[in-house]
Each structure stands twice: as structure tokens, then as C-alpha cells.
Amino acid sequence: MTTTETHEIAAAAAGGDATAEQLAEVLAWFDRYDERVAASDLNGMADLAAFPINEVTDDADGYGIASACDRERYLAQMREVVGANSAELTMHSTRHPIFLSPALCFVVTDASFELGGRTQQMRYGDLLVRTAEGWRFQTMVAGGWHEQM
């Protein structure tokens, strides 16, 4: 998988108290996560989570739903999502980190995925929490993923 990150961050969106170092830490976390996705390293991806994680999406009727997800379920979902085609997948993304506090950062990502000549646009969000082991994702928010939950 080829990943191109665009780190365009508006000062207001980053949070008034966010330092350049905090922004760099969060963006570096996404670089590590994306490297694991590109390598189809599902366990490495899961190692960057604070389980149980929350998954939030909408259902086929247009209602919001949320569910807790353990490591095993996450790995099963990622096997389907990342799959065998990851080598042919190209992703371009722009991250918009919003610090709620020095230990909580909600990151909105605008992404496009290219596979087999088709491009799909997507916007999703991740809540990262700072732990003693570093940043971990705790909540994933994206529309249209109810079938994976």
C-alpha cells in the first residue's frame, strides 16, 4: 500500500493549547499506524489501540450506533478491511487534530482510497488518548460501517 500523508493543520483546529511537539507526536503516531496498515500488520495495528475501543457509525436506517470492540473483533474486522489487496491500495489523507486536552486528541481525517482504478472519498475520526505507553486510539468514528460491526 502506498500512503501519502498531508499534514495540513490550521492553528485553530489544532487546539489553542496544543504545542508543536504534541502535534508532531500525534502525526507521528498516524505515520506508525499507516506503516502497519501498508504492511498488513494487523497485530501491530491493534497494539496501537486502548482496548476495548468504541466504534461509532450509522446503520442502514440512518441512525447512529455505538459498540464496544475487543482486540479479537478488531482483528477480524481489519482482516476484511485491509485484506489481501493492501499492496494495490493507495491512500491519500489529510489529518486535522483537535486537542481537547493534552491527553485527548480527536483527529478528523479526510482520505481518498484508490484501488483498481476506483477512488473512494471518506471522512472519519479517531479519538486518541495519551497513555503511559504513548498515544493509543480508543474510539473510531465513521459513517457506513454498520456491516462491519
Side-chain angles (χ1 to χ4, degrees), residues 9-20 22-23 97-102 104:
I9 302 166
D17 297 331
T19 67
Q22 289 168 318
L23 289 170
I98 303 164
F99 280 82
L100 306 175
S101 76
L104 301 173

Side-chain angles (χ1 to χ4, degrees), residues 35-97:
E35 288 169 3
R36 287 168 170 85
V37 172
S40 297
D41 179 3
L42 304 181
N43 282 307
M45 292 163 57
D47 288 345
L48 296 176
F51 289 105
I53 62 173
N54 295 304
E55 296 178 319
V56 182
T57 192
D58 48 10
D59 65 16
D61 296 322
Y63 297 107
I65 56 174
S67 178
C69 179
D70 63 15
R71 184 182 179 100
E72 291 75 28
R73 183 170 147 196
Y74 173 81
L75 289 171
Q77 291 171 334
M78 290 303 112
R79 270 191 289 280
E80 286 187 36
V81 173
V82 174
N85 293 324
S86 66
E88 302 169 19
L89 179 68
T90 301
M91 181 177 87
H92 302 278
S93 61
T94 301
R95 311 274 188 210
H96 308 278

